[in-house]
Each structure stands twice: as C-alpha cells, then as structure tokens.
Amino acid sequence: MFDFLGAPQNIAFTAALLLMLLIGLVQAIGFGVDLDADADFDADMGGDLLSWLGVGRVPLLMLLVVFLGIFGALGLLGEQAALDWTGALVSGWIAAPVAGVVALPLTGLAARGLARVLPQDHSTAIPLDELVGRFASIVIGRAAPGMPARARVEDRYGQPHYVMVEPDNPGQSFEEGEQVLLVRRERDGFRAISRGDHKLPQLGA
C-alpha cells in the first residue's frame, strides 16, 4: 500500500489527499482558518465557468477541499485500475491532467449537492465602513505607523473579518493579541487606537 501511494506516478494524488486532510485538521482544532474567509468572492466576475464549478454556492475553501478529495481519489483509483489491467502505473504527467479535468465537473456537482444540504443563512454582507467603532484583535504582525498588521474583527452579526490595521496616533504601536478600536477606514485598511484610550461604549454593540 505504501509503495503504491508513494510511487512517483501517484505523488500528486497522495499530496492532494494529504492537503485535504491537513486543511480539515487545521479547521477542526481551531487554528483560525475560516471556511468563509474567501466566500465574498463574486462568481459573476469570473463568468459562467466559475459559477458552473460551484464558486459562490459554497465557501471557497470548502470547494478546494472537495476538489482535492475528488482529484486524489480519482487519480489513485485510475492508477490502481491501470496497474490491475496492464501491470504498470500510468505516468503522472498523463494521469494528473486527466484526473484534474474529470474532477472539475464532479466538483461542481458536489458543490450543488452541498449547497442544498448546508444551512442557508440570510446574507450578512455589510459595508466595511460599518466595522468602524468595533474592537479588533491583532492576530499577525506588529502594527506601527506606516506598517499595518492583520487584525480580526467581528461585525454586528458575529461574522469575523480580517483587516489591515495601523495606529491612528503617531508613535503608537500594537502587538499581537492586543485589542484595538477601529476609528476610521482608509483605502487600504483601518486606523485604530489602543483599547485603553477608549472611554465610550463600543458602537453597535
């Protein structure tokens, strides 16, 4: 079994399944990967092809997991069939593109099925300007003037957003884990002040 999975012809398929499992594991133990993180992508911008593939029906990361699973399973099943029939594995340069092409429509079908069974929430999309006045937590990097860091903030529906934040006050900086108040939005992100500088109740709370 391990010789089969580790064969050069099967590396792409084995790697796809391992990546699928890794994404699922990271999500399960709560490392902050948000299945809806990329769900705001507008499928209409990519035309009918993206809609056919299921983009916009289910979260983009979930769609990736489905594709990886189908691609990996198809590839290994195809290689096993080739081995049984011919006694040899098909070159990965041939098998991987074929499996990828076949996996695409199957991923679209799977996305349609998942869209029917997943809970359908009312849209909670909000303008990013509504995040002004809410508290955010610095999650990656150190924020300083001219050097924004990534922060996590929840909107009034409790949905998380990841935004770039830098201090509004000169000479101020924010470390990872620090809570800040978003005071205004700029083109590339938000300006914030330290939570300790805030005296009034949070807006929209």
Side-chain angles (χ1 to χ4, degrees):
M1 174 63 74
F2 290 108
D3 290 341
F4 175 75
L5 294 176
Q9 296 91 333
N10 289 333
I11 289 297
F13 309 126
T14 303
L17 292 176
L18 288 175
L19 181 57
M20 177 196 71
L21 293 174
L22 179 62
I23 293 173
L25 178 63
V26 169
Q27 178 66 22
I29 62 181
F31 274 4
V33 176
D34 179 13
L35 282 177
D36 292 318
D38 293 318
D40 293 335
F41 185 87
D42 186 355
D44 292 338
M45 295 176 63
D48 294 336
L49 176 61
L50 291 178
S51 178
W52 175 70
L53 291 176
V55 176
R57 296 176 182 271
V58 296
L60 203 55
L61 187 58
M62 182 180 292
L63 198 64
L64 174 62
V65 168
V66 171
F67 173 78
L68 290 172
I70 293 175
F71 171 76
L74 279 177
L76 292 178
L77 288 173
E79 290 287 15
Q80 183 63 60
L83 185 62
D84 292 341
W85 294 340
T86 68
L89 297 173
V90 179
S91 168
W93 294 103
I94 298 174
V98 171
V101 170
V102 176
L104 287 175
L106 294 179
T107 300
L109 289 173
R112 291 179 180 85
L114 286 171
R116 294 189 185 99
V117 300
L118 289 175
Q120 299 298 313
D121 297 327
H122 296 293
S123 173
T124 56
I126 66 165
L128 288 180
D129 288 338
E130 288 194 17
L131 297 177
V132 173
R134 305 198 70 84
F135 290 119
S137 297
I138 305 297
V139 292
I140 299 178
R142 175 178 180 273
M147 298 175 57
R150 189 170 175 83
R152 182 182 188 276
V153 56
E154 291 187 359
D155 61 27
R156 55 193 168 98
Y157 299 104
Q159 297 299 314
H161 300 263
Y162 292 88
V163 298
M164 300 306 293
V165 170
E166 66 178 280
D168 192 47
N169 298 325
Q172 195 171 40
S173 63
F174 308 133
E175 305 293 337
E176 285 189 17
E178 186 172 349
Q179 279 206 328
V180 298
L181 176 71
L182 305 182
V183 293
R184 60 190 173 95
R185 186 189 174 199
E186 295 191 335
R187 179 179 178 183
D188 297 324
F190 289 83
R191 295 284 184 146
I193 61 174
S194 172
R195 180 165 188 166
D197 297 335
H198 177 59
K199 302 300 182 183
L200 298 175
Q202 181 178 346
L203 299 178

